[in-house]
Amino acid sequence: MAKYNITDKKEKDAAYRSLISPTLMDDLKERILRVIVMEKKYKDKDYSAKKLALDLGTNTRYISAVVNVKFHMNYTSFVNKYRIEEAMSILVDKRYQDLRIEEVSDMVGFSNRQSFYASFYRLIGITPREYRIKHTTMLPDRSKRSK
């Protein structure tokens, strides 16, 4: 069995994807990015595709279709990508070096440690702990520099 029980996903061909006009798809893509990324809704553990659809005045099938076609992933993977990117910044930031991995996971919107580790490993190829160790030991210690 693969580490963290990660399996490859099979490509599905959903007929409803082709029913959305390219113009509407582009418009929804921009609006989805605005809400998820700019408004940082990815940090909200309870912000589902259903809530996003309600906020954008559309339905979950359209949200799913746009995320699949424009970002080549499902909604959960899309949201988790932004969570992981923020977690990577926090993990190497000296201001947060005393935070436990679970606290970082919580800060970026994961509801449990297991999904954080699995998502992080799937996207980055190493665990959050390994990432922190690898990237904080590589940073130069500014206090040892000569003036």
Side-chain angles (χ1 to χ4, degrees):
M1 189 177 292
K3 193 169 187 174
Y4 297 110
N5 202 18
I6 296 171
T7 56
D8 290 330
K9 297 198 177 184
K10 295 177 180 80
E11 246 341 274
K12 296 179 203 167
D13 190 30
Y16 63 87
R17 290 182 194 159
S18 61
L19 299 176
I20 304 172
S21 75
T23 306
L24 178 58
M25 194 166 284
D26 288 341
D27 177 57
L28 281 174
K29 174 188 172 188
E30 294 306 315
R31 292 168 59 206
I32 290 168
L33 282 170
R34 188 190 75 238
V35 171
I36 298 297
V37 182
M38 303 305 285
E39 295 178 17
K40 296 192 177 201
K41 289 290 188 179
Y42 63 85
K43 289 181 164 191
D44 183 346
K45 293 173 181 56
D46 301 317
Y47 199 74
S48 63
K50 186 175 183 175
K51 287 183 181 178
L52 176 61
L54 285 171
D55 286 350
L56 297 181
T58 188
N59 62 58
T60 54
R61 282 189 174 252
Y62 278 23
I63 297 295
S64 177
V66 171
V67 171
N68 274 265
V69 171
K70 294 295 185 176
F71 302 105
H72 310 288
M73 59 184 82
N74 64 30
Y75 176 80
T76 302
S77 296
F78 174 71
V79 171
N80 286 348
K81 176 180 166 281
Y82 291 101
R83 291 174 174 165
I84 297 301
E85 287 174 0
E86 181 154 345
M88 289 167 61
S89 296
I90 293 169
L91 288 167
V92 299
D93 191 322
K94 288 188 180 214
R95 295 174 295 177
Y96 302 111
Q97 68 186 14
D98 293 333
L99 285 182
R100 295 186 340 264
I101 301 292
E102 291 78 13
E103 292 170 313
V104 174
S105 167
D106 190 57
M107 281 175 69
V108 299
F110 282 94
S111 55
N112 65 64
R113 180 184 177 275
Q114 290 78 16
S115 63
F116 176 57
Y117 265 76
S119 295
F120 197 99
Y121 189 85
R122 185 180 298 119
L123 197 64
I124 309 304
I126 58 177
T127 67
R129 184 178 181 281
E130 292 169 331
Y131 182 86
R132 176 182 261 172
I133 291 167
K134 180 179 178 181
H135 290 85
T136 54
T137 56
M138 292 172 52
L139 294 174
D141 187 353
R142 295 190 197 290
S143 64
K144 292 181 182 175
R145 286 188 186 165
S146 59
K147 292 185 181 181

